[in-house]
Amino acid sequence: MFVSKFTLFVEIGRVVIINYGQHINKTAIILDVLDQNRALVAGPHNGVERHIINLKWINLTPLKVNIQRGARINTLNAAIKAADLQNKVAALTVVKKTVAKATKLNQTDFERFKSALARRQLNRKVSGEVKKLVNIANRAAHKKAVAQKAADQIIIIMPLINDMKNLNVVDEEFIVKPSIDDIPYEEDVSKNPLSVNSWLRYLESKQASPQKERNYIYERAIRELPRSYKIWHQYLRERTLAVRGKCILDSSYESVNNLYERSLVFLDKMPRIWLEYCEFLIGQEKITKTRKTFDRALIALPITQHYRIWNLYTKFISKKTVPPLTCIRVYKRYLKVQPEKVEEYIDYLIKISEWQEVVNQLIKVLDDHKFKSIKGKTKHDIWLQLCDILSSHPKDIKGIKVDAIIRSGINKFTDQVGKLWSSLAEYYIQLAQFEKARDVFEEALNSVSTARDFSFVWESYTQFEDSLLTAKQELLEDDPSDDNILEFDMMVERYESLINRQPLLLNSVLLKQNPNNVMEWQKRVKLYTEPVFNAKMIVETYSDAIKTIDPQNVKGKLSNIYSSFAHFYESNNKISQARLIFESSLKVNFKTVDDLSSLYCDYAEMELRLKNFEKALDILKRGTVSPKKQYTITENEPVQKKLYKSIKLWSFYVDLEESFGTFHSTKSIYEKMIQLKVVSPQIILNFTRYLEDNKYFEDMFKAFEQGISLFPFPHVHDIWISYLTKFIKRYGGMKLERTRDLFEQVLSKVPAKESIIFYLMYANFEEQYGLARHSMAVYDRASRSVAPEDKYKMYLLYIHRASEFFGVNQTREVFTKAIENLPDEFARDMCLKFADMERKYGEIDRARSIYIHGSEFSDPRTSLTFWTTWSEFEKAHGNEETFKEMLRIRRSVQNKALLISPTQLLLNKLNNKEQIGDTKSQANKPVQHPIAANQTQSQPQPQPQPQPQPSQPIQYNKIIKNDDEINLDDEEEEEEEETINIEQKSIPKTLFENNIK
């Protein structure tokens, strides 16, 4: 019979010591046990109020008070006094230790010093006495060992064998006589029969022995140490391994089962033994015995170890061989301990198709507000799973209001409305209630508010109708009766009606999603127009749109709705209704002024189409009425107060007045627009053109002045050009000073990037009506003020005009300014043009000086055109000395450029090392001077001489055979080989001495 070793239990009246919380180290009495984790306690004798406490926060004591369950405080005080609880608690060891610990904590430094000193003295005395006892014991043990060795070995072994014969668990065949090698281990276990290590050493020495001998030793060991976990575990593992591979019906399995049962008598609190036993039984496919063993393990083990058993237990019941009813019962017990594992239970139920229980568990989960999924599922996911199961297996589920459940989900989860509606319809389809399913689909199409949900429901609805048509068609092929044909025709007609209603239904959904969408309202009107015109629904749609749309939150132009509505009445010859629509729309507080101005324009256009010109002008006049006193209009003001600022409305008004009114009325409207600043540059230009057509020139110039005062650059650019053009065309040179003032005014305001056109107009004006020197002054000013990208062009024009009006001396001054002010790439081209001009006038020295000056910012590697032009110039007009000077300058400039990039110079030196030997070997070979070459090239040659490549360096020390031969001494050659640095020189004074007047 199984007997528990525990004597202390959580029970009514048990005295406990609180080990955690605000009442730590205080005693209390258990009044009631609430569940396996909590108890109701109270301790009025030491200030512990009546409260619920976790069992982990208390320690049980041997004391107990005789009280009833849930005793009151007075009854408890009487029981405490009758049991003399105060004295009994003070006598407890744990209380004494607690008091001693508290006393030690409250000691002073001197008291702790005295205690430590007394403790050292006591330890010295105890150590001395222990050493004496150890010495005496060692001497006695030595004598005993010598006497034991002298004894006969047979006398030692035989009693052991006799003892084994008396064992009830083994028979005579089980006993194995020890060998001579086992004698030392037999002596050890006989001396220390309660030592686990002695028995383990004995077993380790018998590893190679047969299992029968090892079993004999194990039985002797567990007889001496029945509660040794190590020996039992090792013994069970060996016996389990020994039967592995045999048939599960073999008798050896039963013997191992009995051995496990024997071990659990002593080791019932060891979960590892229970787990191994259960795993061993699972392998034997003994369902009932395994289940009972799991239940025994849960009873025997403390609740803190149950999770280890349940993990294996749930795997066992998930096997196909276990009956489903057993699994469900076990799972329900499991969920009482660990309710968070309900998802595993649901998965198992789905696996075995127990849909009724699945639905019940899912509903419980959804009703539990504290539930948290261990798989990361949300309530939304569980709802969808429940709806899928309800709609897919309606015949297997009883007692559940499926319709109410799914509809509550539709109201709760708005992002899955389409899917839930489809699930509800699918539920009725599975029950063959097709009319009810069709009603659900229609309700869904009329209630969904998003296009995504609509498309989901629509697809499910059309598939449902398709499947019904297909099934009916197959039935019609088998039974072509009149009733079936009629029913089939009705189904086809219903399906076609559904398809035709799809655009209108979708439009309704989109309007539910955003009722302020003007485009969708217009699409709805178009749906009622085509393919069948429905005037009543069109009017109703326009009316609903006007009532529904919020003007401040509208998407699109609300004015289009009113305009389309009025045009609809106009097209049907209901002019009065159209005017009523327009008049009512003019009172609406639109979001923007543009909407209201568009309505006024449409209203006026309708009157124009009806030939009511005066009424159209009156409508626009109403819309353009400005307040008598100007004030700041805030954003919250209605658009009617901002309407007079609409350029669109004023433009239409002035166009109509210009067409049907008088000159003075039109002029007054333009002036009113300028006064209110409701104009654009184009309106100013239109006004001036209108005045010009009517010969009001001074008023035109006044309008120009007003326009240029209203707009900054670049908006006023066209106005200035038109102003200046018309003014010059009107007066020519009659008002020079006024024209010059206008040009000065625009040049003081125009940005540099846009100023070139005005400088050119100014200079052209001076050329035609003013003085040439004034024109040159304008060109000079322009060359300094225009944008950098335009300066080069301006200087070219300046040079051209200077050459045309003043000749070469003035042109030289302009060239000089251009070279000084332009960037290097433009200054280089300007030097070439300057030198070419001097060459044409025969000023060779002056041209050469210009080339020398331009060489300072002309790198030979990038400015090949400059050096080629200079070389051609020297060939045509120079001599050997000037050509050498040009080459020397070129080398110097190139070296100076390379010094800026030392890496490039180093690479060039490395590339030219191989050419040094060839250059020295050819140093004394004759070289034909380029000037002499030009002379020889003019004479007929029998064979053409090869021209030197541009990439090859020109050599200057070759001997030329002509009349102009010059012998250069060695000193000059050495000077040429050295690097020559060009000094920074200013332009020679002789170059421009003739320019100074």
Side-chain angles (χ1 to χ4, degrees):
M1 180 180 178
F2 177 76
V3 179
S4 176
K5 67 177 182 179
F6 288 110
T7 57
L8 301 180
F9 300 99
V10 178
E11 55 186 331
I12 308 300
R14 176 65 63 186
V15 180
V16 298
I17 298 176
I18 301 174
N19 59 20
Y20 187 79
Q22 60 178 348
H23 300 301
I24 189 171
N25 295 329
K26 292 184 180 181
T27 57
I29 294 94
I30 297 177
L31 303 180
D32 194 2
V33 179
L34 303 182
D35 54 27
Q36 60 186 3
N37 292 322
R38 300 177 302 159
L40 179 67
V41 299
H45 59 287
N46 55 5
V48 179
E49 67 274 8
R50 186 187 185 104
H51 68 285
I52 298 172
I53 194 171
N54 195 303
L55 297 182
K56 294 181 180 179
W57 289 16
I58 59 176
N59 293 332
L60 303 178
T61 66
L63 303 178
K64 184 179 178 182
V65 178
N66 187 16
I67 59 174
Q68 297 295 325
R69 177 174 176 267
R72 298 186 178 184
I73 298 300
N74 293 334
T75 305
L76 183 62
N77 286 329
I80 291 173
K81 189 177 293 184
D84 193 15
L85 187 63
Q86 296 284 0
N87 295 331
K88 292 181 180 179
V89 169
L92 293 174
T93 304
V94 63
V95 175
K96 292 179 180 179
K97 289 182 179 180
T98 304
V99 172
K101 185 176 181 180
T103 304
K104 186 175 181 180
L105 290 174
N106 296 327
Q107 284 181 344
T108 62
D109 293 342
F110 182 66
E111 291 174 346
R112 283 194 292 273
F113 171 73
K114 290 194 297 183
S115 299
L117 188 61
R119 190 163 51 251
R120 291 195 199 101
Q121 292 176 356
L122 179 62
N123 289 340
R124 290 194 194 99
K125 292 181 181 179
V126 172
S127 299
E129 295 297 330
V130 169
K131 287 181 180 179
K132 291 179 182 178
L133 294 175
V134 169
N135 292 334
I136 295 172
N138 289 338
R139 286 194 294 271
H142 179 68
K143 291 180 180 178
K144 186 177 180 180
V146 172
Q148 190 69 27
K149 288 181 180 180
D152 186 41
Q153 298 298 332
I154 301 300
I155 297 175
I156 298 173
I157 296 173
M158 290 306 297
L160 297 175
I161 297 174
N162 294 331
D163 292 339
M164 291 303 300
K165 289 181 180 180
N166 296 328
L167 290 174
N168 295 326
V169 296
V170 296
D171 52 15
E172 193 72 22
E173 296 180 355
F174 193 82
I175 299 174
V176 179
K177 295 182 180 180
S179 62
I180 300 299
D181 297 333
D182 299 336
I183 291 175
Y185 298 102
E186 291 288 350
E187 294 178 356
D188 188 14
V189 297
S190 62
K191 295 176 185 177
N192 303 302
L194 302 179
S195 175
V196 175
N197 292 331
S198 298
W199 289 105
L200 293 178
R201 284 194 296 269
Y202 193 5
L203 290 168
E204 185 178 359
S205 67
K206 303 290 286 184
Q207 285 183 353
S209 300
Q211 187 62 39
K212 181 180 179 180
E213 296 183 10
R214 294 178 59 79
N215 293 345
Y216 169 69
I217 299 173
Y218 275 122
E219 290 293 343
R220 292 171 56 194
I222 60 178
R223 177 175 175 272
E224 298 293 339
L225 299 168
R227 295 186 180 275
S228 175
Y229 173 76
K230 285 186 177 181
I231 297 176
W232 271 112
H233 186 263
Q234 190 169 327
Y235 187 21
L236 292 170
R237 186 176 59 184
E238 288 189 12
R239 292 292 297 272
T240 303
L241 293 175
V243 300
R244 183 168 296 174
K246 296 181 180 181
C247 179
I248 58 175
L249 300 177
D250 195 284
S251 59
S252 57
Y253 276 92
E254 191 63 31
S255 62
V256 176
N257 294 341
N258 296 333
L259 183 62
Y260 271 111
E261 293 291 344
R262 288 170 53 201
S263 67
L264 291 174
V265 173
F266 303 101
L267 303 177
D268 59 313
K269 301 301 179 184
M270 294 296 175
R272 186 69 257 170
I273 302 295
W274 284 108
L275 290 173
E276 291 179 357
Y277 186 23
C278 292
E279 289 178 356
F280 187 67
L281 291 175
I282 291 173
Q284 299 178 48
E285 298 294 338
K286 295 184 177 182
I287 307 301
T288 303
K289 186 172 184 179
T290 306
R291 178 179 58 80
K292 292 182 178 180
T293 304
F294 273 116
D295 294 340
R296 288 168 52 202
L298 293 173
I299 294 172
L301 292 174
I303 195 170
T304 55
Q305 300 290 335
H306 281 193
Y307 72 95
R308 302 176 66 179
I309 303 299
W310 277 116
N311 290 337
L312 184 60
Y313 202 175
T314 52
K315 292 180 181 178
F316 161 68
I317 61 176
S318 299
K319 297 180 69 175
K320 295 181 179 180
T321 55
V322 180
L325 184 60
T326 301
C327 298
I328 292 173
R329 291 176 179 176
V330 173
Y331 259 119
K332 287 183 177 180
R333 290 171 51 201
Y334 181 40
L335 294 180
K336 291 181 180 180
V337 181
Q338 292 184 330
E340 66 273 7
K341 300 292 186 178
V342 66
E343 290 178 279
E344 295 182 5
Y345 180 38
I346 293 173
D347 293 340
Y348 172 75
L349 293 174
I350 294 174
K351 183 179 177 180
I352 63 175
S353 301
E354 288 288 339
W355 303 113
Q356 184 68 43
E357 184 66 21
V358 171
V359 171
N360 294 335
Q361 293 298 324
L362 288 175
I363 293 175
K364 289 181 182 179
V365 169
L366 291 173
D367 292 338
D368 186 4
H369 299 289
K370 298 181 180 180
F371 175 76
K372 290 184 179 179
S373 173
I374 60 176
K375 295 185 177 182
K377 290 184 178 181
T378 61
K379 289 292 184 70
H380 176 267
D381 299 331
I382 299 173
W383 258 108
L384 294 180
Q385 185 180 9
L386 175 60
C387 293
D388 290 340
I389 293 173
L390 289 174
S391 60
S392 302
H393 308 279
K395 297 179 180 179
D396 299 329
I397 300 170
K398 305 297 181 183
I400 303 296
K401 297 181 179 180
V402 178
D403 191 285
I405 291 174
I406 297 180
R407 287 182 183 274
S408 63
I410 292 172
N411 297 327
K412 190 173 184 180
F413 302 103
T414 56
D415 57 335
Q416 294 290 337
V417 172
K419 186 174 182 180
L420 293 175
W421 276 114
S422 300
S423 299
L424 181 57
E426 181 67 22
Y427 169 74
Y428 288 112
I429 292 172
Q430 292 291 332
L431 294 175
Q433 299 179 12
F434 301 130
E435 292 299 327
K436 185 67 175 177
R438 189 175 288 109
D439 293 340
V440 171
F441 277 125
E442 291 291 339
E443 182 182 357
L445 292 176
N446 293 323
S447 62
V448 293
S449 58
T450 63
R452 183 173 65 90
D453 294 333
F454 176 82
S455 62
F456 200 97
V457 175
W458 175 260
E459 185 177 356
S460 300
Y461 195 3
T462 52
Q463 288 179 358
F464 164 65
E465 293 291 348
D466 284 338
S467 61
L468 287 182
L469 283 174
T470 304
K472 195 64 178 178
Q473 189 173 7
E474 293 177 356
L475 181 62
L476 190 61
E477 293 176 356
D478 297 335
D479 184 15
S481 61
D482 295 339
D483 293 338
N484 289 337
I485 293 174
L486 179 61
E487 187 176 355
F488 180 75
D489 293 339
M490 292 176 60
M491 294 174 66
V492 170
E493 185 177 355
R494 184 190 295 116
Y495 185 70
E496 290 177 352
S497 174
L498 176 64
I499 297 299
N500 293 331
R501 288 191 298 127
Q502 192 266 348
L504 194 60
L505 292 172
L506 179 59
N507 181 263
S508 301
V509 171
L510 294 176
L511 287 176
K512 287 179 184 178
Q513 188 173 356
N514 184 7
N516 298 318
N517 194 331
V518 174
M519 186 178 296
E520 293 301 328
W521 284 106
Q522 291 176 334
K523 288 181 180 179
R524 191 172 186 85
V525 171
K526 189 175 181 180
L527 290 174
Y528 286 121
T529 306
E530 297 175 358
V532 180
F533 184 80
N534 191 340
K536 180 180 178 180
M537 294 306 301
I538 292 175
V539 173
E540 185 178 344
T541 302
Y542 276 125
S543 302
D544 292 341
I546 292 172
K547 293 177 183 178
T548 306
I549 296 176
D550 183 6
Q552 300 301 319
N553 298 320
V554 65
K555 182 180 179 182
K557 294 189 68 174
L558 179 57
S559 59
N560 293 341
I561 295 291
Y562 286 97
S563 298
S564 300
F565 197 8
H567 293 330
F568 171 76
Y569 279 121
E570 181 189 359
S571 62
N572 289 276
N573 297 322
K574 295 183 179 180
I575 307 303
S576 59
Q577 295 292 336
R579 287 190 178 124
L580 287 176
I581 295 298
F582 273 121
E583 290 295 337
S584 63
S585 66
L586 299 182
K587 300 176 183 179
V588 177
N589 185 17
F590 291 98
K591 189 176 182 180
T592 61
V593 178
D594 184 62
D595 287 338
L596 187 57
S597 62
S598 298
L599 284 172
Y600 270 98
C601 294
D602 291 342
Y603 194 4
E605 287 176 356
M606 185 188 75
E607 297 297 342
L608 289 176
R609 288 192 295 271
L610 299 173
K611 307 299 181 180
N612 297 328
F613 306 119
E614 293 297 330
K615 188 169 181 62
L617 288 173
D618 291 339
I619 292 170
L620 295 176
K621 187 176 180 179
R622 285 167 50 194
T624 55
V625 174
S626 61
K628 296 181 180 179
K629 185 178 180 181
Q630 298 292 331
Y631 63 95
T632 304
I633 299 176
T634 61
E635 295 182 357
N636 297 327
E637 293 287 345
V639 293
Q640 282 75 10
K641 294 185 178 181
K642 306 175 187 177
L643 183 62
Y644 73 95
K645 287 285 188 179
S646 173
I647 296 178
K648 179 179 180 180
L649 189 61
W650 278 103
S651 299
F652 190 27
Y653 186 22
V654 76
D655 288 342
L656 283 184
E657 193 66 38
E658 193 173 329
S659 300
F660 304 106
T662 63
F663 168 76
H664 293 288
S665 62
T666 305
K667 181 173 176 292
S668 64
I669 294 175
Y670 273 119
E671 290 174 349
K672 185 68 174 180
M673 293 173 66
I674 295 173
Q675 179 186 353
L676 295 174
K677 298 181 180 180
V678 191
V679 291
S680 63
Q682 186 60 44
I683 293 175
I684 296 294
L685 293 175
N686 294 341
F687 185 26
T688 56
R689 191 179 301 109
Y690 181 72
L691 292 172
E692 183 182 12
D693 293 341
N694 289 276
K695 309 301 181 182
Y696 283 80
F697 298 104
E698 285 301 324
D699 290 339
M700 176 185 68
F701 297 138
K702 183 180 178 181
F704 274 123
E705 290 291 340
Q706 292 173 337
I708 62 178
S709 64
L710 290 176
F711 301 102
F713 276 96
H715 308 290
V716 79
H717 183 272
D718 295 334
I719 298 177
W720 268 113
I721 291 177
S722 180
Y723 186 14
L724 294 171
T725 303
K726 293 182 183 296
F727 192 87
I728 294 172
K729 180 181 178 181
R730 173 68 178 167
Y731 295 107
M734 297 171 60
K735 295 184 179 182
L736 285 175
E737 294 303 323
R738 184 177 175 184
T739 308
R740 287 171 180 164
D741 289 342
L742 290 177
F743 275 112
E744 292 298 332
Q745 184 181 353
V746 67
L747 291 176
S748 64
K749 297 178 180 179
V750 66
K753 290 185 178 181
E754 302 178 10
S755 63
I756 186 170
I757 182 66
F758 297 103
Y759 278 113
L760 293 177
M761 292 175 66
Y762 194 4
N764 186 42
F765 170 76
E766 291 291 348
E767 289 175 7
Q768 292 182 7
Y769 306 105
L771 300 176
R773 60 186 179 85
H774 288 172
S775 176
M776 291 300 103
V778 173
Y779 280 120
D780 182 64
R781 180 180 172 188
S783 62
R784 289 182 280 103
S785 301
V786 297
E789 59 268 18
D790 297 330
K791 285 186 177 181
Y792 180 67
K793 299 177 183 179
M794 184 56 68
Y795 269 115
L796 292 179
L797 184 59
Y798 187 11
I799 291 167
H800 176 70
R801 293 303 186 189
S803 175
E804 184 178 349
F805 293 140
F806 295 98
V808 67
N809 292 332
Q810 184 71 20
T811 306
R812 285 172 179 161
E813 289 184 5
V814 179
F815 268 119
T816 304
K817 292 179 181 179
I819 293 171
E820 290 177 354
N821 296 328
L822 289 174
D824 290 348
E825 60 270 17
F826 296 124
R828 187 183 309 116
D829 296 339
M830 199 61 71
C831 287
L832 293 175
K833 296 180 183 297
F834 193 7
D836 185 59
M837 185 195 73
E838 295 293 350
R839 182 183 61 80
K840 291 179 180 179
Y841 284 107
E843 297 290 344
I844 304 303
D845 294 336
R846 191 186 296 274
R848 185 176 289 110
S849 299
I850 294 170
Y851 280 121
I852 292 172
H853 178 71
S855 65
E856 295 179 2
F857 40 80
S858 301
D859 188 355
R861 298 173 298 172
T862 58
S863 306
L864 298 178
T865 304
F866 178 84
W867 291 100
T868 303
T869 306
W870 190 4
S871 177
E872 295 295 334
F873 172 79
E874 293 296 342
K875 292 178 183 180
H877 304 286
N879 53 31
E880 183 179 4
E881 292 297 332
T882 59
F883 195 83
K884 285 184 178 182
E885 181 67 15
M886 184 270 293
L887 295 175
R888 182 186 68 79
I889 293 172
R890 178 172 181 171
R891 286 198 307 274
S892 178
V893 172
Q894 185 171 2
N895 290 335
K896 184 179 179 181
L898 289 174
L899 288 175
I900 300 174
S901 179
T903 305
Q904 185 66 29
L905 180 61
L906 179 60
L907 293 174
N908 292 339
K909 287 183 178 180
L910 294 175
N911 294 332
N912 294 332
K913 278 184 178 181
E914 298 179 358
Q915 302 177 3
I916 294 175
D918 298 337
T919 304
K920 291 182 179 180
S921 63
Q922 299 176 2
N924 296 324
K925 293 183 179 180
V927 178
Q928 188 176 7
H929 196 273
I931 297 176
N934 289 337
Q935 297 174 358
T936 57
Q937 287 176 5
S938 63
Q939 301 174 1
Q941 298 291 338
Q943 294 180 354
Q945 297 292 332
Q947 297 294 330
Q949 297 295 330
S951 60
Q952 295 177 355
I954 302 176
Q955 300 177 359
Y956 311 107
N957 53 0
K958 291 185 179 180
I959 300 173
I960 54 178
K961 297 180 180 180
N962 54 20
D963 298 334
D964 296 330
E965 179 180 354
I966 299 175
N967 294 325
L968 302 175
D969 53 9
D970 297 334
E971 295 179 0
E972 293 178 352
E973 293 177 359
E974 293 176 358
E975 291 176 359
E976 290 180 2
E977 294 177 357
E978 297 176 356
T979 302
I980 302 172
N981 296 325
I982 296 177
E983 297 180 0
Q984 299 291 333
K985 297 179 181 180
S986 61
I987 301 175
K989 293 182 179 179
T990 58
L991 181 61
F992 306 113
E993 61 186 1
N994 295 330
N995 294 338
I996 303 172
K997 295 182 179 179

